[in-house]
Amino acid sequence: MLSLGNMNDKLFDWYPISKDNLLDKIIKQVLSQIESSRNTTKGVTTNTRLNERNITIHLVNALYLSHFSFPKNLVSINLTAKYYSGKKYGYKNVKKVINALENGGLVTLIMGSEVRRQVTRIKHSRTLEKLLDKIGFQWRYYPPDKDKTFVFKRDRVETTGKKKKYKKITLPLPKTDFYKQQQTKLLSFNQFISKHCIALDVSDKQFKKIIHELNKNKNQRSFFYEEYDNTINYSLTHLRRVFARGKDNLGGRFYGGWWQSIPSKYRPHITIDGKKTVEVDFSTMSLRLLYSKENIHVDANRDLYNLGLTGSTGYLTRARELIKLYTNALLNDERGKYRLKQSELKELKLTHNQLNKLVNKYHKPIAHHFGTGVGLELMFHDS
């Protein structure tokens, strides 16, 4: 029902709710506002009040988490009546809570638009910000909802139009032992991981630097099947697994952890319950899996993204990032349409054709796999 994000963000399928009493004062304030706004209590059942309370808990928790997320994002919510058809909470009760938050001077709304595919965003008032700052940011236990789905099966369908395009769709999850087992395992993992505080052990200055990079790279393209959320929100620890192209052996990567969105150079600063961690990194995994598929041994010290381009140290580092982006995209580029930006090609001092020939020449033993969609198969083995 809720999500943290910009106007174009999709709604999350779930949102963590803590079981503590940290936000009880604000929750009671909203519920009191709802009661005082009733013209009559006729027809107001115990179940109605329970739904109002649960929705309020969801929204106040979301506002708390968004206030203490970095970069600070707004809470987005769908306010079209048809969206709530068949949902656990009805539109009238959701709207009632939103109105109480507004009338109580806690939020203002930035209305969305169905035409532009934008949902409504909820903006904290200065009054609410002061209340939340007084409470302060605390690590909290967010148990996963046992009724929520953590495993997804996606596919793509061709859209209508002159140009051949695809859009991703979520398929009904098959009721097979495989998916039941995956759901059980992931629920168990999420129950375990949510009991531990995963955070960054950095100074305020370093933290601001990380936030600056996240802001700068917010719209950065990714060769992954799913996009990562560029937000540091310590509550987002529940993982989900996504299979692709309607197959049980394609995709299968795990998403949802806040630590997945931060630049790799900052990951050594991740702590669990205050204890330092060590990241085990498998370099150039996809390409090494391809070479292994061809029974070709690759030296462990060989950098498969280093195509021998020359230049200053900074240029080489940036060149490697772009080669990595292009090469991994090439694995799934079945239509042969993928291009780096002109500015990126300029950095490499190559044309698209030169880059394509260079990558294919350097990886000649596995080049026949490029553009076949093999990347999704490799993601499954990787996961």
Side-chain angles (χ1 to χ4, degrees):
M1 181 172 72
L2 306 171
S3 79
L4 297 176
N6 297 328
M7 301 238 341
N8 295 318
D9 279 342
K10 297 177 182 177
L11 299 178
F12 286 166
D13 292 317
W14 54 269
Y15 206 94
I17 293 298
S18 181
K19 300 297 183 182
D20 58 36
N21 301 317
L22 189 70
L23 303 173
D24 274 6
K25 186 176 179 180
I26 300 175
I27 291 167
K28 288 176 182 177
Q29 182 178 331
V30 177
L31 293 175
S32 176
Q33 180 71 34
I34 292 174
E35 287 296 335
S36 64
S37 65
R38 298 190 201 279
N39 294 322
T40 177
T41 57
K42 187 178 180 180
V44 179
T45 64
T46 301
N47 190 56
T48 299
R49 287 194 167 93
L50 180 61
N51 284 337
E52 291 168 355
R53 178 176 176 76
N54 287 336
I55 295 166
T56 302
I57 291 172
H58 271 280
L59 275 167
V60 173
N61 269 273
L63 289 165
Y64 174 83
L65 292 173
S66 67
H67 180 68
F68 290 109
S69 65
F70 311 93
K72 183 176 178 178
N73 285 331
L74 303 182
V75 172
S76 56
I77 184 168
N78 196 316
L79 283 185
T80 57
K82 64 180 180 181
Y83 175 80
Y84 294 91
S85 176
K87 294 284 195 300
K88 184 177 182 179
Y89 301 118
Y91 172 74
K92 288 183 179 179
N93 285 334
V94 171
K95 194 69 171 69
K96 206 182 300 177
V97 175
I98 292 290
N99 289 342
L101 284 163
E102 264 196 302
N103 296 334
L106 297 177
V107 304
T108 57
L109 298 185
I110 302 173
M111 299 307 294
S113 166
E114 281 195 82
V115 176
R116 289 174 294 189
R117 299 172 66 87
Q118 295 171 344
V119 295
T120 296
R121 293 181 298 165
I122 309 173
K123 184 178 180 181
H124 308 71
S125 70
R126 186 66 191 126
T127 299
L128 180 58
E129 287 180 332
K130 286 180 179 178
L131 287 173
L132 295 176
D133 285 335
K134 188 175 180 180
I135 293 170
F137 177 68
Q138 299 181 32
W139 177 83
R140 306 166 75 201
Y141 169 46
Y142 295 95
D145 186 340
K146 294 179 181 180
D147 296 326
K148 292 294 182 181
T149 300
F150 296 104
V151 181
F152 297 88
K153 192 172 187 179
R154 301 266 167 84
D155 203 350
R156 63 177 189 174
V157 292
E158 191 173 342
T159 59
T160 56
K162 293 181 179 179
K163 292 185 178 180
K164 193 173 183 179
K165 292 184 179 181
Y166 296 95
K167 70 175 182 179
K168 296 173 188 175
I169 60 170
T170 300
L171 301 173
L173 203 63
K175 295 180 180 180
T176 62
D177 289 341
F178 173 77
Y179 284 105
K180 288 177 182 177
Q181 186 182 58
Q182 294 301 315
Q183 172 73 5
T184 300
K185 285 183 175 181
L186 205 42
L187 173 60
S188 177
F189 177 79
N190 286 335
Q191 286 173 331
F192 167 77
I193 201 171
S194 60
K195 295 176 183 177
H196 300 276
C197 176
I198 305 174
L200 284 171
D201 182 19
V202 294
S203 66
D204 288 347
K205 186 177 180 180
Q206 289 171 319
F207 197 84
K208 287 178 181 178
K209 187 177 180 181
I210 297 173
I211 300 309
H212 175 73
E213 286 197 37
L214 289 177
N215 274 324
K216 186 173 66 175
N217 300 324
K218 201 162 185 64
N219 298 314
Q220 184 175 334
R221 293 164 300 156
S222 170
F223 53 78
F224 296 110
Y225 186 72
E226 291 265 312
E227 295 291 335
Y228 291 97
D229 182 28
N230 289 65
T231 301
I232 296 179
N233 183 329
Y234 292 155
S235 70
L236 301 182
T237 60
H238 301 165
L239 299 184
R240 61 187 184 276
R241 193 174 191 193
V242 183
F243 292 90
R245 301 285 176 86
K247 304 287 185 181
D248 300 348
N249 61 347
L250 296 181
R253 271 190 168 165
F254 297 84
Y255 304 93
W258 67 262
W259 55 87
Q260 293 176 301
S261 66
I262 65 171
S264 58
K265 61 185 175 182
Y266 296 117
R267 288 179 193 152
H269 300 287
I270 294 175
T271 61
I272 300 178
D273 296 337
K275 297 178 181 178
K276 290 184 177 295
T277 60
V278 175
E279 180 183 18
V280 180
D281 184 27
F282 297 92
S283 181
T284 58
M285 174 65 86
S286 294
L287 294 179
R288 290 181 183 277
L289 285 172
L290 268 186
Y291 276 103
S292 177
K293 191 180 178 75
E294 296 296 325
N295 295 315
I296 299 173
H297 172 73
V298 178
D299 189 281
N301 296 317
R302 180 182 167 191
D303 185 354
L304 297 179
Y305 296 132
N306 184 350
L307 305 187
L309 298 177
T310 58
S312 65
T313 302
Y315 168 71
L316 285 174
T317 302
R318 175 61 174 160
R320 188 185 186 281
E321 291 176 9
L322 296 175
I323 296 299
K324 178 180 180 180
L325 179 67
Y326 178 75
T327 305
N328 282 280
L330 201 59
L331 298 176
N332 288 328
D333 187 23
E334 296 169 89
R335 294 186 292 159
K337 298 290 186 181
Y338 186 83
R339 299 286 190 279
L340 288 181
K341 296 176 182 177
Q342 282 301 316
S343 59
E344 293 169 335
L345 289 169
K346 191 174 180 180
E347 286 185 71
L348 294 174
K349 299 180 182 178
L350 296 170
T351 64
H352 169 73
N353 288 335
Q354 288 172 331
L355 173 61
N356 185 268
K357 287 180 181 178
L358 185 62
V359 171
N360 277 272
K361 181 180 178 181
Y362 190 77
H363 294 295
K364 188 176 180 179
I366 58 171
H368 57 286
H369 288 291
F370 294 158
T372 64
V374 73
L376 293 173
E377 178 188 331
L378 300 177
M379 283 183 188
F380 176 75
H381 291 299
D382 186 356
S383 70

